[in-house]
Coordinates of all heavy atoms in Angstrom, one line a residue:
M1010 N -24.9 -1.2 -16.5 CA -24.4 -1.4 -15.3 C -22.9 -1.7 -15.5 O -22.5 -2.4 -16.4 CB -25.1 -2.6 -14.6 CG -24.8 -2.9 -13.2 SD -25.6 -4.3 -12.5 CE -27.3 -4.0 -12.7
K1011 N -22.1 -1.1 -14.5 CA -20.7 -1.3 -14.5 C -20.4 -2.7 -14.1 O -21.0 -3.2 -13.4 CB -20.0 -0.3 -13.7 CG -20.1 1.1 -14.0 CD -19.6 1.9 -13.0 CE -19.7 3.5 -13.3 NZ -19.2 4.3 -12.2
K1012 N -19.3 -3.3 -14.7 CA -18.8 -4.6 -14.5 C -17.4 -4.6 -13.6 O -16.7 -3.8 -14.0 CB -18.8 -5.6 -15.6 CG -20.2 -5.7 -16.4 CD -21.1 -6.6 -15.6 CE -22.3 -6.9 -16.3 NZ -23.2 -7.7 -15.6
A1013 N -17.3 -5.4 -12.8 CA -16.0 -5.5 -12.1 C -15.0 -5.9 -13.0 O -15.2 -6.9 -14.0 CB -16.1 -6.5 -10.9
P1014 N -13.8 -5.1 -13.0 CA -12.7 -5.6 -14.0 C -12.1 -6.9 -13.7 O -11.6 -7.6 -14.6 CB -11.8 -4.6 -13.8 CG -12.0 -3.9 -12.5 CD -13.4 -4.2 -12.2
Y1015 N -12.1 -7.4 -12.5 CA -11.5 -8.8 -12.1 C -12.3 -9.4 -11.0 O -12.7 -8.8 -10.1 CB -10.1 -8.5 -11.6 CG -9.4 -9.8 -11.0 CD1 -8.9 -10.6 -11.9 CD2 -9.2 -9.8 -9.7 CE1 -8.2 -11.8 -11.5 CE2 -8.7 -11.1 -9.3 CZ -8.1 -12.0 -10.1 OH -7.6 -13.1 -9.7
N1016 N -12.4 -10.8 -11.3 CA -13.0 -11.5 -10.2 C -12.4 -12.9 -10.2 O -12.4 -13.5 -11.2 CB -14.6 -11.7 -10.6 CG -15.4 -12.4 -9.6 OD1 -14.8 -13.3 -8.8 ND2 -16.6 -12.1 -9.5
P1017 N -11.8 -13.2 -9.1 CA -11.1 -14.5 -9.1 C -11.9 -15.7 -9.2 O -11.4 -16.7 -9.6 CB -10.5 -14.4 -7.6 CG -11.3 -13.4 -7.0 CD -11.7 -12.5 -7.9
E1018 N -13.3 -15.7 -9.1 CA -14.1 -16.8 -9.4 C -14.5 -16.9 -10.8 O -15.0 -18.0 -11.3 CB -15.4 -16.5 -8.6 CG -15.3 -16.6 -7.1 CD -16.4 -16.0 -6.4 OE1 -17.5 -15.8 -7.1 OE2 -16.5 -16.1 -5.2
G1019 N -14.0 -16.0 -11.7 CA -14.1 -16.0 -13.1 C -15.5 -15.6 -13.6 O -15.8 -15.6 -14.8
K1020 N -16.3 -15.0 -12.6 CA -17.7 -14.5 -13.0 C -17.6 -13.0 -12.9 O -16.9 -12.4 -12.1 CB -18.8 -15.0 -12.1 CG -18.8 -16.5 -12.1 CD -19.9 -16.9 -11.0 CE -19.7 -18.3 -10.6 NZ -20.5 -18.6 -9.5
E1021 N -18.4 -12.4 -13.8 CA -18.4 -10.9 -13.7 C -19.5 -10.5 -12.7 O -20.6 -11.2 -12.7 CB -18.7 -10.2 -15.1 CG -17.6 -10.3 -16.0 CD -17.7 -9.3 -17.2 OE1 -18.6 -8.4 -17.2 OE2 -17.0 -9.6 -18.1
K1022 N -19.2 -9.6 -11.8 CA -20.3 -9.2 -10.9 C -20.4 -7.7 -11.0 O -19.4 -7.0 -11.3 CB -19.8 -9.5 -9.4 CG -19.8 -10.8 -8.9 CD -19.4 -10.8 -7.5 CE -19.2 -12.2 -6.9 NZ -18.9 -12.2 -5.5
P1023 N -21.7 -7.2 -10.9 CA -21.8 -5.8 -11.0 C -21.1 -5.1 -9.9 O -21.1 -5.6 -8.8 CB -23.3 -5.5 -11.1 CG -23.9 -6.8 -10.3 CD -22.9 -7.9 -10.7
L1024 N -20.5 -3.8 -10.0 CA -20.1 -3.1 -8.9 C -21.2 -2.6 -8.1 O -22.0 -2.0 -8.6 CB -19.3 -1.9 -9.5 CG -18.0 -2.4 -10.2 CD1 -17.3 -1.2 -10.8 CD2 -17.0 -3.1 -9.2
C1025 N -21.2 -3.0 -6.8 CA -22.3 -2.6 -6.0 C -21.9 -1.5 -5.0 O -22.8 -1.2 -4.0 CB -22.7 -3.9 -5.3 SG -23.2 -5.3 -6.3
F1026 N -20.9 -0.9 -5.1 CA -20.4 0.0 -4.1 C -21.4 1.2 -3.7 O -21.7 1.2 -2.6 CB -19.0 0.7 -4.4 CG -18.5 1.6 -3.5 CD1 -18.1 1.2 -2.2 CD2 -18.4 3.0 -3.8 CE1 -17.7 2.1 -1.2 CE2 -17.9 3.9 -2.9 CZ -17.5 3.5 -1.6
S1027 N -21.9 1.8 -4.8 CA -22.7 2.9 -4.4 C -24.1 2.5 -3.8 O -24.6 3.0 -2.9 CB -23.0 3.8 -5.7 OG -23.5 3.0 -6.7
R1028 N -24.5 1.3 -4.3 CA -25.7 0.8 -3.8 C -25.7 0.3 -2.4 O -26.5 0.5 -1.4 CB -26.2 -0.3 -4.7 CG -27.7 -0.9 -4.2 CD -28.3 -1.8 -5.3 NE -27.5 -2.9 -5.5 CZ -27.8 -3.9 -6.3 NH1 -29.0 -3.8 -7.1 NH2 -27.2 -5.0 -6.6
N1029 N -24.5 -0.2 -2.1 CA -24.2 -0.7 -0.7 C -24.0 0.5 0.2 O -24.5 0.3 1.4 CB -22.8 -1.5 -0.7 CG -22.9 -2.9 -1.2 OD1 -24.1 -3.5 -1.5 ND2 -21.8 -3.5 -1.6
L1030 N -23.4 1.5 -0.2 CA -23.4 2.7 0.7 C -24.8 3.1 1.1 O -25.1 3.5 2.3 CB -22.7 3.9 0.0 CG -21.2 3.7 -0.1 CD1 -20.6 4.9 -0.7 CD2 -20.5 3.5 1.3
R1031 N -25.7 3.3 0.2 CA -27.0 3.8 0.4 C -27.7 2.8 1.2 O -28.4 3.3 2.3 CB -27.8 4.0 -1.0 CG -29.2 4.6 -0.7 CD -29.9 4.9 -2.1 NE -29.0 5.8 -2.9 CZ -29.0 5.7 -4.2 NH1 -29.6 4.9 -4.8 NH2 -28.2 6.4 -4.9
L1032 N -27.6 1.5 1.0 CA -28.4 0.5 1.8 C -27.9 0.5 3.2 O -28.7 0.7 4.2 CB -28.1 -0.9 1.2 CG -28.7 -2.0 2.1 CD1 -30.2 -2.0 2.1 CD2 -28.1 -3.4 1.5
L1033 N -26.7 0.6 3.4 CA -26.0 0.6 4.8 C -26.4 1.8 5.5 O -26.8 1.8 6.8 CB -24.6 0.4 4.8 CG -24.2 -1.1 4.4 CD1 -22.6 -1.2 4.1 CD2 -24.5 -2.1 5.5
R1034 N -26.4 2.9 4.9 CA -26.7 4.2 5.6 C -28.1 4.1 6.0 O -28.4 4.6 7.1 CB -26.4 5.4 4.6 CG -26.8 6.7 5.2 CD -26.5 7.8 4.3 NE -27.3 7.9 3.0 CZ -28.6 7.9 2.9 NH1 -29.3 8.4 3.8 NH2 -29.1 7.9 1.6
T1035 N -29.0 3.7 5.2 CA -30.4 3.6 5.4 C -30.6 2.6 6.7 O -31.4 2.9 7.6 CB -31.2 3.1 4.2 OG1 -30.9 4.0 3.2 CG2 -32.7 3.0 4.6
L1036 N -29.9 1.4 6.5 CA -30.2 0.5 7.7 C -29.7 1.0 8.9 O -30.1 0.6 10.0 CB -29.3 -0.8 7.3 CG -30.0 -1.7 6.3 CD1 -29.0 -2.9 5.9 CD2 -31.3 -2.2 6.6
Y1037 N -28.7 1.8 8.9 CA -28.1 2.5 10.2 C -28.9 3.7 10.6 O -28.5 4.2 11.6 CB -26.6 2.7 10.1 CG -25.6 1.6 10.3 CD1 -25.7 0.5 9.5 CD2 -24.9 1.5 11.4 CE1 -24.8 -0.6 9.7 CE2 -24.0 0.5 11.7 CZ -24.0 -0.6 10.7 OH -23.3 -1.6 11.0
G1038 N -29.8 4.0 9.8 CA -30.7 5.1 10.1 C -30.0 6.5 10.2 O -30.3 7.4 10.9
M1039 N -29.0 6.6 9.3 CA -28.3 8.0 9.2 C -28.6 8.7 7.9 O -29.1 8.1 6.9 CB -26.7 7.5 9.3 CG -26.3 6.7 10.5 SD -24.6 6.2 10.4 CE -23.7 7.7 10.7
T1040 N -28.3 10.0 8.1 CA -28.6 10.8 6.7 C -27.1 10.9 6.2 O -26.1 10.6 6.8 CB -28.9 12.3 7.2 OG1 -27.9 12.9 8.0 CG2 -30.2 12.2 8.1
Q1041 N -27.3 11.5 4.8 CA -26.0 11.6 4.2 C -25.1 12.7 4.9 O -23.9 12.5 5.0 CB -26.2 12.0 2.8 CG -26.9 11.1 1.9 CD -27.1 11.6 0.5 OE1 -27.4 12.8 0.3 NE2 -27.3 10.7 -0.5
K1042 N -25.7 13.7 5.5 CA -25.0 14.7 6.2 C -24.2 14.1 7.4 O -23.0 14.5 7.7 CB -25.9 15.7 6.7 CG -25.2 17.0 7.2 CD -26.2 18.1 7.6 CE -25.4 19.3 8.2 NZ -26.3 20.3 8.4
E1043 N -24.9 13.1 8.2 CA -24.2 12.5 9.3 C -23.0 11.7 8.9 O -22.0 11.7 9.4 CB -25.2 11.7 10.1 CG -26.3 12.4 10.7 CD -27.5 11.6 11.3 OE1 -27.8 10.5 10.7 OE2 -28.1 12.0 12.3
V1044 N -23.2 10.9 7.8 CA -22.1 10.0 7.4 C -21.0 10.9 6.8 O -19.8 10.7 7.1 CB -22.5 9.1 6.2 CG1 -21.4 8.3 5.7 CG2 -23.6 8.1 6.8
A1045 N -21.3 11.9 6.0 CA -20.3 12.9 5.6 C -19.5 13.5 6.7 O -18.2 13.6 6.6 CB -21.0 13.9 4.7
S1046 N -20.2 13.9 7.8 CA -19.5 14.4 8.9 C -18.6 13.5 9.6 O -17.4 13.9 9.9 CB -20.6 14.9 10.0 OG -19.9 15.3 11.1
L1047 N -18.9 12.2 9.6 CA -18.0 11.2 10.2 C -16.8 11.0 9.3 O -15.7 10.7 9.8 CB -18.8 9.9 10.4 CG -19.8 9.8 11.5 CD1 -20.6 8.5 11.4 CD2 -19.2 9.9 12.9
L1048 N -17.0 11.2 8.0 CA -15.9 11.0 7.0 C -15.1 12.2 6.9 O -14.1 12.3 6.2 CB -16.4 10.6 5.8 CG -17.2 9.2 5.5 CD1 -17.8 9.1 4.2 CD2 -16.3 8.1 5.9
H1049 N -15.5 13.3 7.5 CA -14.8 14.7 7.3 C -14.8 15.1 5.7 O -13.8 15.6 5.4 CB -13.4 14.6 7.8 CG -13.4 14.2 9.2 ND1 -13.8 15.0 10.3 CD2 -12.9 13.0 9.8 CE1 -13.7 14.4 11.5 NE2 -13.1 13.1 11.2
V1050 N -16.0 14.9 5.2 CA -16.2 15.4 3.8 C -17.5 16.1 3.8 O -18.3 16.0 4.7 CB -16.3 14.3 2.7 CG1 -15.0 13.5 2.7 CG2 -17.4 13.3 3.0
D1051 N -17.8 16.9 2.7 CA -18.9 17.6 2.6 C -20.1 16.6 2.2 O -19.8 15.6 1.6 CB -18.9 19.0 1.9 CG -18.5 18.6 0.4 OD1 -18.9 17.8 -0.2 OD2 -17.8 19.6 -0.1
R1052 N -21.3 17.0 2.4 CA -22.4 16.2 1.9 C -22.5 15.9 0.5 O -22.8 14.8 0.1 CB -23.9 16.9 2.5 CG -25.0 15.8 2.3 CD -26.3 16.5 2.3 NE -26.5 17.5 1.4 CZ -26.8 17.3 0.0 NH1 -26.9 16.2 -0.4 NH2 -26.9 18.4 -0.7
T1053 N -22.1 16.9 -0.3 CA -22.1 16.7 -1.7 C -21.1 15.7 -2.1 O -21.5 14.7 -3.0 CB -21.8 18.1 -2.5 OG1 -22.7 19.0 -2.0 CG2 -21.8 17.9 -4.0
S1054 N -20.0 15.6 -1.6 CA -19.0 14.6 -1.8 C -19.6 13.1 -1.6 O -19.4 12.2 -2.3 CB -17.7 14.8 -1.1 OG -17.1 16.0 -1.5
Y1055 N -20.1 13.1 -0.3 CA -20.7 11.8 0.0 C -21.8 11.4 -0.9 O -22.0 10.3 -1.4 CB -21.2 11.8 1.5 CG -21.7 10.4 1.9 CD1 -21.0 9.3 2.1 CD2 -23.1 10.2 1.7 CE1 -21.5 8.0 2.4 CE2 -23.6 8.9 2.0 CZ -22.8 7.8 2.3 OH -23.3 6.6 2.5
T1056 N -22.7 12.4 -1.3 CA -23.8 12.0 -2.2 C -23.2 11.5 -3.5 O -23.8 10.5 -4.1 CB -24.6 13.3 -2.5 OG1 -25.2 13.8 -1.3 CG2 -25.8 13.0 -3.4
Y1057 N -22.1 12.1 -4.0 CA -21.5 11.6 -5.3 C -21.0 10.2 -5.1 O -21.0 9.4 -6.1 CB -20.4 12.6 -5.8 CG -20.8 13.8 -6.3 CD1 -22.2 14.2 -6.5 CD2 -19.9 14.7 -6.9 CE1 -22.7 15.2 -7.2 CE2 -20.4 15.9 -7.4 CZ -21.7 16.2 -7.6 OH -22.1 17.3 -8.2
Y1058 N -20.6 9.8 -3.9 CA -20.1 8.4 -3.7 C -21.4 7.5 -3.8 O -21.3 6.5 -4.5 CB -19.6 8.2 -2.3 CG -18.3 8.9 -1.9 CD1 -18.1 9.3 -0.6 CD2 -17.5 9.6 -2.9 CE1 -17.0 10.0 -0.2 CE2 -16.4 10.3 -2.6 CZ -16.2 10.5 -1.1 OH -15.1 11.2 -0.9
E1059 N -22.4 7.8 -3.2 CA -23.7 7.1 -3.3 C -24.2 7.0 -4.7 O -24.9 5.9 -5.1 CB -24.8 7.6 -2.4 CG -24.6 7.1 -0.9 CD -25.9 7.4 -0.2 OE1 -27.0 7.7 -0.6 OE2 -25.7 7.2 1.1
L1060 N -24.2 8.1 -5.5 CA -24.6 8.1 -7.0 C -23.7 7.4 -7.9 O -24.0 7.1 -9.1 CB -24.8 9.5 -7.4 CG -26.0 10.3 -6.6 CD1 -26.1 11.7 -7.0 CD2 -27.3 9.6 -6.8
G1061 N -22.4 7.0 -7.4 CA -21.4 6.5 -8.3 C -20.9 7.5 -9.2 O -20.2 7.1 -10.2
K1062 N -21.0 8.7 -8.9 CA -20.3 9.7 -9.7 C -18.8 9.9 -9.4 O -18.1 10.3 -10.4 CB -21.0 11.2 -9.5 CG -22.3 11.2 -10.2 CD -22.9 12.6 -10.0 CE -24.2 12.6 -10.8 NZ -24.8 14.0 -10.8
T1063 N -18.3 9.7 -8.2 CA -17.0 9.7 -7.8 C -16.7 8.4 -6.9 O -17.7 8.0 -6.3 CB -16.6 11.0 -7.1 OG1 -17.4 11.2 -5.9 CG2 -16.7 12.3 -8.1
E1064 N -15.5 8.2 -6.8 CA -15.0 7.1 -5.9 C -14.2 7.8 -4.8 O -13.4 8.7 -5.0 CB -14.1 6.3 -6.6 CG -14.9 5.4 -7.7 CD -14.1 4.5 -8.5 OE1 -12.8 4.5 -8.4 OE2 -14.6 3.7 -9.4
P1065 N -14.4 7.3 -3.6 CA -13.7 7.9 -2.5 C -12.2 7.5 -2.5 O -11.8 6.4 -2.9 CB -14.4 7.4 -1.2 CG -15.0 6.1 -1.7 CD -15.4 6.3 -3.2
P1066 N -11.3 8.3 -1.8 CA -10.0 7.8 -1.6 C -9.9 6.6 -0.7 O -10.9 6.4 0.0 CB -9.3 9.0 -1.0 CG -10.3 10.0 -0.6 CD -11.6 9.7 -1.3
Y1067 N -8.8 6.0 -0.7 CA -8.6 4.7 0.0 C -9.0 4.9 1.6 O -9.6 4.0 2.2 CB -7.5 3.9 -0.3 CG -6.1 4.6 0.3 CD1 -5.8 4.2 1.6 CD2 -5.5 5.5 -0.4 CE1 -4.7 4.9 2.2 CE2 -4.4 6.1 0.3 CZ -4.0 5.9 1.4 OH -3.0 6.5 2.0
Y1068 N -8.4 5.9 2.1 CA -8.7 6.2 3.5 C -10.1 6.5 3.8 O -10.6 6.0 5.0 CB -7.8 7.3 4.0 CG -7.8 8.5 3.3 CD1 -8.9 9.5 3.6 CD2 -7.0 8.9 2.2 CE1 -8.9 10.8 2.9 CE2 -7.1 10.1 1.6 CZ -8.1 11.1 1.9 OH -8.2 12.3 1.2
T1069 N -10.9 7.0 3.0 CA -12.3 7.2 3.1 C -13.0 5.9 3.1 O -13.9 5.6 3.8 CB -12.8 8.2 2.2 OG1 -12.2 9.5 2.3 CG2 -14.4 8.4 2.4
L1070 N -12.6 5.0 2.2 CA -13.3 3.7 2.0 C -13.0 2.9 3.3 O -13.8 2.2 3.8 CB -12.6 3.1 0.9 CG -13.0 1.6 0.5 CD1 -14.5 1.7 0.1 CD2 -12.3 1.1 -0.7
I1071 N -11.8 3.1 3.9 CA -11.5 2.3 5.2 C -12.4 2.9 6.2 O -12.9 2.1 7.0 CB -10.0 2.5 5.6 CG1 -9.1 1.7 4.5 CG2 -9.7 1.9 6.9 CD1 -7.7 2.0 4.6
R1072 N -12.6 4.1 6.3 CA -13.5 4.8 7.3 C -14.9 4.2 7.1 O -15.6 4.0 8.1 CB -13.5 6.3 7.3 CG -12.3 6.8 8.0 CD -12.4 8.4 8.0 NE -11.3 9.0 8.5 CZ -10.9 10.2 8.4 NH1 -11.7 11.0 7.6 NH2 -9.8 10.7 9.1
L1073 N -15.3 4.1 5.9 CA -16.8 3.7 5.6 C -16.9 2.3 6.1 O -17.8 2.0 6.7 CB -17.0 3.8 4.1 CG -17.3 5.1 3.6 CD1 -17.2 5.2 2.0 CD2 -18.7 5.6 4.0
A1074 N -15.9 1.4 5.8 CA -16.0 0.1 6.3 C -16.1 0.0 7.9 O -16.8 -0.8 8.4 CB -14.8 -0.8 5.9
A1075 N -15.3 0.8 8.5 CA -15.3 0.9 9.9 C -16.7 1.4 10.5 O -17.2 0.8 11.5 CB -14.2 1.7 10.5
I1076 N -17.3 2.4 9.9 CA -18.6 2.9 10.3 C -19.6 1.8 10.2 O -20.4 1.7 11.1 CB -18.9 4.2 9.4 CG1 -18.0 5.3 9.8 CG2 -20.4 4.5 9.7 CD1 -18.1 6.5 8.7
Y1077 N -19.5 1.1 9.2 CA -20.6 0.1 9.0 C -20.3 -1.3 9.5 O -21.0 -2.3 9.3 CB -21.0 0.1 7.5 CG -21.7 1.3 7.1 CD1 -21.1 2.0 5.9 CD2 -22.7 1.9 7.8 CE1 -21.7 3.2 5.5 CE2 -23.2 3.1 7.2 CZ -22.8 3.7 6.2 OH -23.2 4.8 5.8
G1078 N -19.0 -1.5 10.2 CA -18.7 -2.8 10.7 C -18.5 -3.8 9.7 O -18.9 -5.0 9.8
T1079 N -17.9 -3.5 8.5 CA -17.7 -4.5 7.5 C -16.4 -4.3 7.0 O -15.5 -3.6 7.5 CB -18.8 -4.3 6.3 OG1 -18.7 -5.4 5.4 CG2 -18.6 -3.0 5.7
T1080 N -16.1 -4.9 5.8 CA -14.7 -4.8 5.2 C -14.8 -3.9 4.0 O -15.9 -3.9 3.3 CB -14.1 -6.2 4.9 OG1 -15.1 -6.9 3.8 CG2 -14.1 -7.2 6.2
T1081 N -13.6 -3.5 3.5 CA -13.6 -2.8 2.2 C -14.0 -3.7 1.1 O -14.6 -3.4 0.1 CB -12.3 -2.2 2.0 OG1 -11.3 -3.2 2.1 CG2 -12.0 -1.1 3.0
D1082 N -13.5 -5.0 1.1 CA -13.9 -5.9 0.2 C -15.4 -6.2 0.0 O -16.0 -6.2 -1.1 CB -13.2 -7.3 0.5 CG -13.5 -8.4 -0.6 OD1 -13.2 -8.0 -1.8 OD2 -13.9 -9.5 -0.2
M1083 N -16.1 -6.2 1.2 CA -17.5 -6.4 1.1 C -18.2 -5.2 0.6 O -19.2 -5.3 -0.3 CB -18.0 -6.7 2.5 CG -19.5 -6.8 2.7 SD -20.1 -8.4 2.0 CE -19.9 -9.5 3.3
L1084 N -17.8 -4.1 0.9 CA -18.3 -2.8 0.3 C -18.2 -2.7 -1.2 O -19.1 -2.2 -1.9 CB -17.7 -1.6 1.0 CG -18.1 -1.1 2.3 CD1 -17.2 0.1 2.7 CD2 -19.6 -0.9 2.4
L1085 N -17.0 -3.2 -1.6 CA -16.8 -3.0 -3.1 C -17.2 -4.0 -4.0 O -17.7 -3.8 -5.2 CB -15.2 -2.8 -3.2 CG -14.5 -1.6 -2.7 CD1 -13.1 -1.8 -2.8 CD2 -14.9 -0.4 -3.5
T1086 N -17.3 -5.3 -3.5 CA -17.5 -6.4 -4.4 C -18.7 -7.3 -4.2 O -19.1 -8.0 -5.0 CB -16.3 -7.3 -4.4 OG1 -16.2 -7.9 -3.1 CG2 -15.0 -6.6 -4.8
E1087 N -19.4 -7.1 -3.1 CA -20.5 -7.9 -2.7 C -21.9 -7.1 -2.8 O -21.9 -5.9 -2.5 CB -20.3 -8.6 -1.3 CG -19.3 -9.5 -1.2 CD -19.2 -10.7 -2.1 OE1 -20.3 -11.1 -2.4 OE2 -18.2 -11.2 -2.5
D1088 N -22.9 -7.8 -3.2 CA -24.1 -7.2 -3.3 C -24.7 -7.5 -1.9 O -25.4 -8.6 -1.6 CB -25.0 -7.8 -4.4 CG -26.5 -7.1 -4.5 OD1 -26.7 -6.4 -3.6 OD2 -27.1 -7.3 -5.5
I1089 N -24.7 -6.5 -1.0 CA -25.1 -6.6 0.4 C -26.6 -6.9 0.5 O -27.1 -7.7 1.2 CB -24.7 -5.5 1.3 CG1 -23.1 -5.4 1.4 CG2 -25.2 -5.5 2.7 CD1 -22.5 -4.3 2.2
Q1090 N -27.4 -6.3 -0.4 CA -28.8 -6.4 -0.4 C -29.1 -7.9 -0.7 O -30.1 -8.5 -0.2 CB -29.5 -5.5 -1.3 CG -31.0 -5.6 -1.4 CD -31.7 -4.5 -2.2 OE1 -30.9 -3.7 -2.8 NE2 -33.0 -4.5 -2.3
E1091 N -28.5 -8.4 -1.7 CA -28.7 -9.8 -2.1 C -28.3 -10.7 -0.9 O -29.1 -11.6 -0.7 CB -27.9 -10.2 -3.2 CG -28.2 -11.5 -3.8 CD -27.3 -11.7 -5.0 OE1 -27.5 -11.2 -6.1 OE2 -26.4 -12.6 -5.0
I1092 N -27.3 -10.4 -0.3 CA -26.8 -11.3 1.0 C -27.9 -11.2 2.1 O -28.4 -12.3 2.6 CB -25.6 -10.9 1.4 CG1 -24.4 -11.1 0.4 CG2 -25.2 -11.5 2.8 CD1 -23.1 -10.5 0.7
L1093 N -28.4 -10.1 2.3 CA -29.4 -10.0 3.4 C -30.7 -10.6 3.0 O -31.3 -11.3 3.8 CB -29.7 -8.4 3.6 CG -28.6 -7.6 4.3 CD1 -28.9 -6.1 4.4 CD2 -28.3 -8.1 5.7
Q1094 N -31.1 -10.6 1.7 CA -32.4 -11.3 1.3 C -32.1 -12.8 1.5 O -33.1 -13.5 1.9 CB -32.7 -10.9 -0.2 CG -33.2 -9.6 -0.3 CD -33.4 -9.2 -1.8 OE1 -32.9 -9.7 -2.7 NE2 -34.3 -8.2 -2.0
E1095 N -31.0 -13.2 1.2 CA -30.7 -14.7 1.4 C -30.7 -15.1 2.9 O -31.3 -16.2 3.3 CB -29.5 -15.2 0.8 CG -29.3 -15.1 -0.7 CD -27.9 -15.4 -1.2 OE1 -27.1 -15.8 -0.4 OE2 -27.7 -15.2 -2.4
V1096 N -30.4 -14.3 3.7 CA -30.3 -14.5 5.2 C -31.7 -14.5 5.8 O -32.1 -15.2 6.6 CB -29.3 -13.5 5.9 CG1 -29.6 -13.6 7.5 CG2 -28.0 -13.8 5.5
I1097 N -32.5 -13.5 5.3 CA -33.9 -13.4 5.9 C -35.1 -14.0 5.2 O -36.1 -14.1 5.7 CB -34.2 -11.8 6.0 CG1 -34.3 -11.1 4.8 CG2 -33.2 -11.0 7.1 CD1 -34.7 -9.7 4.9
T1098 N -34.7 -14.5 4.1 CA -35.8 -15.3 3.2 C -35.6 -16.7 3.5 O -34.6 -17.3 3.0 CB -35.7 -14.8 1.7 OG1 -35.8 -13.5 1.6 CG2 -36.8 -15.5 1.0
P1099 N -36.6 -17.4 4.1 CA -36.4 -18.8 4.3 C -36.5 -19.6 2.8 O -37.2 -19.3 2.0 CB -37.6 -19.1 5.1 CG -38.5 -18.1 4.9 CD -37.8 -16.9 4.6
K1100 N -35.5 -20.6 2.9 CA -35.5 -21.3 1.6 C -36.6 -22.4 1.6 O -36.8 -23.1 2.8 CB -34.2 -22.0 1.4 CG -33.1 -21.0 1.1 CD -31.7 -21.4 0.8 CE -30.8 -20.4 0.6 NZ -29.5 -20.9 0.1
K1101 N -37.3 -22.6 0.6 CA -38.3 -23.6 0.6 C -37.7 -24.9 0.3 O -36.8 -25.2 -0.5 CB -39.4 -23.4 -0.6 CG -40.1 -22.1 -0.4 CD -41.1 -21.8 -1.5 CE -41.7 -20.5 -1.2 NZ -42.6 -20.2 -2.3
D1102 N -38.1 -26.0 1.0 CA -37.6 -27.3 0.8 C -38.2 -28.0 -0.4 O -39.4 -27.7 -0.8 CB -37.9 -28.2 2.0 CG -37.2 -27.9 3.3 OD1 -36.1 -27.3 3.0 OD2 -37.7 -28.1 4.4
K1103 N -37.4 -28.6 -1.2 CA -37.9 -29.3 -2.4 C -38.6 -30.6 -2.0 O -38.0 -31.3 -1.2 CB -36.7 -29.6 -3.3 CG -36.1 -28.4 -3.9 CD -35.0 -28.8 -5.0 CE -34.4 -27.6 -5.5 NZ -33.3 -27.9 -6.4
E1104 N -39.6 -30.8 -2.6 CA -40.5 -32.1 -2.3 C -40.1 -33.1 -3.4 O -40.0 -32.8 -4.5 CB -41.8 -31.9 -2.3 CG -42.4 -30.9 -1.2 CD -43.9 -30.8 -1.3 OE1 -44.6 -31.7 -1.8 OE2 -44.5 -29.8 -0.6
D1105 N -39.7 -34.2 -3.0 CA -39.2 -35.3 -3.8 C -40.4 -36.2 -4.2 O -41.2 -36.6 -3.6 CB -38.1 -36.2 -3.2 CG -36.9 -35.3 -3.1 OD1 -36.6 -34.5 -4.1 OD2 -36.2 -35.3 -2.1

C-alpha cells in the first residue's frame, strides 16, 4: 500500500484517493462513463484514476471534488469509507 509522503500530524496514512473515487461514485449511483463525461475525459482515463494507475491533473481533481461535494484535501488524504463507518456505526458505551 502506498504511503502519503507528508502528514502534518506525524502519522503515515495510506493514500486513499483511488478508493475514495470508487466509493463516492458508487454512493452517487454513477457509472464510470458518467463521471468521465462530467470530467471531459474518456472512460479509460477515469478508470485508471480509480485503479491508481494514473493521477488526474489538478483541474480534474478540483472538478471531482465539486462533483462529489467535498474538498480536494478530503479526496486525497482521508479514508472516506472509514469516516462513514464511524458516522453510521454507533459507539458502544463502556461499562464501569
Side-chain angles (χ1 to χ4, degrees):
M1010 187 181 306
K1011 296 178 184 177
K1012 297 289 183 180
Y1015 172 74
N1016 183 335
E1018 297 169 357
K1020 302 176 201 169
E1021 286 191 22
K1022 289 184 181 179
L1024 292 176
C1025 302
F1026 177 66
S1027 58
R1028 187 167 62 179
N1029 286 342
L1030 286 184
R1031 185 175 306 144
L1032 174 68
L1033 289 169
R1034 179 180 56 78
T1035 304
L1036 289 174
Y1037 275 69
M1039 299 174 77
T1040 65
Q1041 289 180 337
K1042 186 176 181 179
E1043 290 170 329
V1044 177
S1046 177
L1047 292 171
L1048 296 172
H1049 307 289
V1050 300
D1051 60 38
R1052 188 195 57 80
T1053 303
S1054 294
Y1055 180 77
T1056 299
Y1057 283 0
Y1058 302 156
E1059 279 196 6
L1060 294 174
K1062 289 186 175 185
T1063 60
E1064 296 177 353
Y1067 71 90
Y1068 53 85
T1069 301
L1070 183 62
I1071 292 168
R1072 280 188 183 158
L1073 282 164
I1076 289 167
Y1077 296 126
T1079 189
T1080 64
T1081 55
D1082 183 55
M1083 180 71 83
L1084 282 176
L1085 292 169
T1086 64
E1087 298 298 329
D1088 185 344
I1089 294 174
Q1090 184 172 1
E1091 185 177 293
I1092 292 169
L1093 289 174
Q1094 285 176 338
E1095 289 176 8
V1096 170
I1097 61 175
T1098 305
K1100 295 185 180 188
K1101 296 180 182 178
D1102 292 332
K1103 292 182 182 179
E1104 293 183 24
D1105 293 315

